[in-house]
């Protein structure tokens, strides 16, 4: 069964540094998402992406965050200047249709900011 | 914004018994609901979904019930097995959520006792 894959599985970064989290969505999917899950808390929506542009973003997704689909397979989340509170699991998800379809999630990247 | 929540943060059941996990939602515009299972170190895994024009849907050993009158969703797992131990999230999508981001509940941890 096709999977969403995320790399790295664990990223340790000094506060203030830039970090790029990478995702390869399922190949025929058209809609892409990033979610965040702080330890012990619920999964929170960050951003959705379709047709090479952001469809929607939450209040968490401020100017420090950006997303990009640099080629036909990768979907990246960049945090420009990381803060301690950015430490969390970051999940990528994808789906092939806009409405009423379950999102398929990767296993996440654990981001630890020191 | 609207939120989806769970009544019970933890649930312990004997192996072989049936499990019921509950979820309350508050957005009357919610039109699509998903139950996800999250095992330790993994991303959310799709279990079953239901649209708002239905009140029940069955899968393999799982049933989702939707009561729109009281805005309540439940997941029933028949003959619970040790492999069912995980955190279960409900997620809600509404017609006023452009971009199809879902609102996740905080999760219920299901522990299956031998």
């Amino acid at each position: 069964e096709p999977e969403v894959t995320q790399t790295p599985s664990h990223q340790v970064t000094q506060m203030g540094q830039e970090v790029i989290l990478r995702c390869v969505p399922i190949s025929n999917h058209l809609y892409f998402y990033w979610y965040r899950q702080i330890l012990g808390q619920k999964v929170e929506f960050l951003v959705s992406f379709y047709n090479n542009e952001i469809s929607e973003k939450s209040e968490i997704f401020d100017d420090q965050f950006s997303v990009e689909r640099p080629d036909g397979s990768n979907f990246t989340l960049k945090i420009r200047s990381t803060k301690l509170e950015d430490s969390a699991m970051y999940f990528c998800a994808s789906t092939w249709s806009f409405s009423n379809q379950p999102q398929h999630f990767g296993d996440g990247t654990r981001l630890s900011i020191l | 914004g609207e939120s989806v929540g769970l009544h019970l943060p933890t649930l312990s059941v004997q192996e072989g018994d049936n499990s019921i996990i509950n979820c309350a939602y508050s957005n009357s515009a919610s039109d699509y609901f998903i139950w996800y299972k999250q095992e330790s170190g993994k991303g959310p895994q799709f279990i079953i979904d239901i649209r708002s024009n239905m009140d029940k849907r069955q899968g393999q050993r799982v049933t989702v019930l939707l009561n729109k009158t009281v805005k309540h969703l439940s997941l029933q797992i028949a003959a619970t097995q040790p492999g069912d131990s995980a955190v279960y999230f409900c997620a809600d999508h509404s017609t006023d959520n452009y971009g199809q981001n879902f609102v996740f509940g905080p999760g219920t941890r299901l522990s299956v006792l031998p």
Side-chain angles (χ1 to χ4, degrees), chain A residues 4 10-11 18 20 22-23 34 37 45 51 87 96 104 111 114:
Chain A
V4 175
H10 191 190
Q11 175 77 46
E18 175 183 285
I20 298 175
R22 303 183 189 278
C23 170
W34 283 102
Q37 186 178 32
F45 169 76
N51 199 26
S87 295
W96 67 270
H104 296 261
L111 178 63
L114 305 179

Side-chain angles (χ1 to χ4, degrees), chain B residues 70-82:
Chain B
V70 296
K71 298 189 184 69
H72 184 267
L73 190 72
S74 69
L75 175 71
Q76 300 178 1
I77 304 174
T80 312
Q81 302 170 358

